[in-house]
């Protein structure tokens, strides 16, 4: 594990351009963090101004590390699967000499994964995949523990790419050989900017719909020269994180940010994949009238048989109180749709990318943006009509709420096993293509979490196993089985 960093003394200086006081870390010039909570101040600017091309980390305020450490410890108690994996594999060090570029949401749950990977022998450099989802105190705790973390809440677009590049750029002491991605940004930056180093990567693990789609595009174009593991479509990701996590976190996000009561409200959920299913279940359980939009007739039929009206967005846009996108697509909610929304309509996105809601079309001189809370904007029309936009169209549950740690434990264990599999696989087991996680590993991840519920699995007899044509210890379902 990395050794702990050493806190530096602080000096206070006057910044005349901002007319407020800031605390700046003094001491060694390669130790960068900022304690200014103003999102307009970007911590990496100090490193750049000081001519430090490769700082050991860059976070908002490293002095928040004690608070962040408590957050991580709380998450550990509710993440039994990844903690069990850490305990079982730490002696074997299956990731020894692995150098992992990480680009995911940085929160307490991710911190548990990062520290698990380190316990299994890996060295990591980590950036955020979303400019608003980072928990600053958690990033501080990881940096204080010696991890190379480059992230803070409220990154500018330029800072976002600077942080990822700090993880991807090879140096004399850092030659990455694995990528753990959420959305594909680290993969694409490294492929575009560091193509020679990219060819040395042993494997990529991707956990989002958007990132997987980009991987398949690379593969089809013949540009994917390393093997990749699609964990988004593994059963333990799709059926647990996408469904159960979103079922709980969508309500948390909306209530924390808007104080809305759901009983009797009308909501439309765009997309009835696993994320959309979870959102619809939660809204329906609280008494909302729920509509669904879909392009896929199979998903549409599922929605109809689950009791939801399947409609075109234009049919209900004037009457609904909440609009939630969960498609992984672009341009799902347009300016034209928002022009027709009722006063006070809440608009948010549960898909990975911020392309589902056309937020750019709202940044025009005729509309007024009013920030009313963190991650909550009122967009005001000339006639005083306003809509409520969450997280500027980015992931609402990660930007406006906390995630259920237990479900994230399932995903984290899946990611860790995928990294272990690709890193230790014989040279010719995987070609330069996109693969699903082996079924046996999906079942292993599930088994790690069953003791929490005091769940006891039934074991097949020899006769039963022979009758079904199965190994007694699994896998128990064929790859084509739909759970």
């Amino acid at each position: 594990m990395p050794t702990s960093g050493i806190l530096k003394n602080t000096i206070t200086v006057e910044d005349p351009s901002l007319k407020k006081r800031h605390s700046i870390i003094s001491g060694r010039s390669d130790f960068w963090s900022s304690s200014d909570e103003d999102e307009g101040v970007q911590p990496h600017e100090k490193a750049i101004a000081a001519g430090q091309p490769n700082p050991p980390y860059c976070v908002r305020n490293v002095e928040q590390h004690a608070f962040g450490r408590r957050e991580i410890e709380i998450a550990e108690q509710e993440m039994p699967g990844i903690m069990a994996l850490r305990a079982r594999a730490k002696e074997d060090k299956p990731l020894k000499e692995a150098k992992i570029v990480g680009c995911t949401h940085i929160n307490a749950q991710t911190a548990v994964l990062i520290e698990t990977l380190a316990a299994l022998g890996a060295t990591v450099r980590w950036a955020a995949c979303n400019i608003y989802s980072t928990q600053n105190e958690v990033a501080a705790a990881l940096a204080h523990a010696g991890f190379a973390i480059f992230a803070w809440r409220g990154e500018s677009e330029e800072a976002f790419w600077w942080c990822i590049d700090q993880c991807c750029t090879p140096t004399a002491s850092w030659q990455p050989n694995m990528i753990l991605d959420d959305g594909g940004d680290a993969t694409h930056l490294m492929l575009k900017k560091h193509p020679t180093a990219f060819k040395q990567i042993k494997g990529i693990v991707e956990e989002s719909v958007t990132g997987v789609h980009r991987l398949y595009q690379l593969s089809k174009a013949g540009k994917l020269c390393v093997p990749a593991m699609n964990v988004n479509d593994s059963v333990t990701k799709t059926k647990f994180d996408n469904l159960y996590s979103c079922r709980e976190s969508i309500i948390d996000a909306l209530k924390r940010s808007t104080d809305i009561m759901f009983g009797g409200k009308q909501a439309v959920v765009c997309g009835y994949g696993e994320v959309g299913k979870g959102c619809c279940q939660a809204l329906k359980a609280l008494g909302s009238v729920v509509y669904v939009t879909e392009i896929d007739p199979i998903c549409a039929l599922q929605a109809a048989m689950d009791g939801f009206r399947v409609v075109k967005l234009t049919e209900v846009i004037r009457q609904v109180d909440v609009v939630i996108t969960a498609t992984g697509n672009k341009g799902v909610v347009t300016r034209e749709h928002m022009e027709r929304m009722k006063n006070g309509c809440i608009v948010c996105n549960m898909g990975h990318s911020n392309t589902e809601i056309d937020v750019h079309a709202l940044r025009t001189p005729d509309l007024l943006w009013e920030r009313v809370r963190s991650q909550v904007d009122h967009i005001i029309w000339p006639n005083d009509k306003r809509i409520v936009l969450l997280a500027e169209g980015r992931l609402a549950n990660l930007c406006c709420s906390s995630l259920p740690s237990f479900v994230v434990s399932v995903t984290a264990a899946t990611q860790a096993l995928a990294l272990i599999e690709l890193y230790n696989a014989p040279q010719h087991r995987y070609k330069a293509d996109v693969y699903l996680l082996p079924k046996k590993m999906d079942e292993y991840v599930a088994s790690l979490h069953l003791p929490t519920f005091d769940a006891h699995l039934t074991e097949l007899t020899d006769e039963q196993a022979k009758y079904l044509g199965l190994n007694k210890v699994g896998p128990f379902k064929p790859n084509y089985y739909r759970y």
Side-chain angles (χ1 to χ4, degrees), residues 218-220 222-228 429-435:
L218 285 177
S219 180
K220 186 176 181 180
K223 296 180 181 179
L224 185 65
C225 55
V226 300
R429 175 180 293 176
Y430 297 105
K431 299 178 181 179
D433 205 348
V434 184
Y435 295 86

Side-chain angles (χ1 to χ4, degrees), residues 37 59-72 106-108 134-144 153:
E37 294 301 328
V59 298
R60 178 67 73 180
N61 181 6
V62 76
E63 294 181 5
Q64 292 181 326
H65 67 90
F67 177 29
R69 179 51 56 185
R70 290 195 294 272
E71 292 286 313
I72 296 169
I106 297 181
N107 49 33
T134 298
Q135 289 181 275
N136 284 337
E137 65 277 11
V138 171
L142 290 168
H144 182 261
R153 192 178 186 91

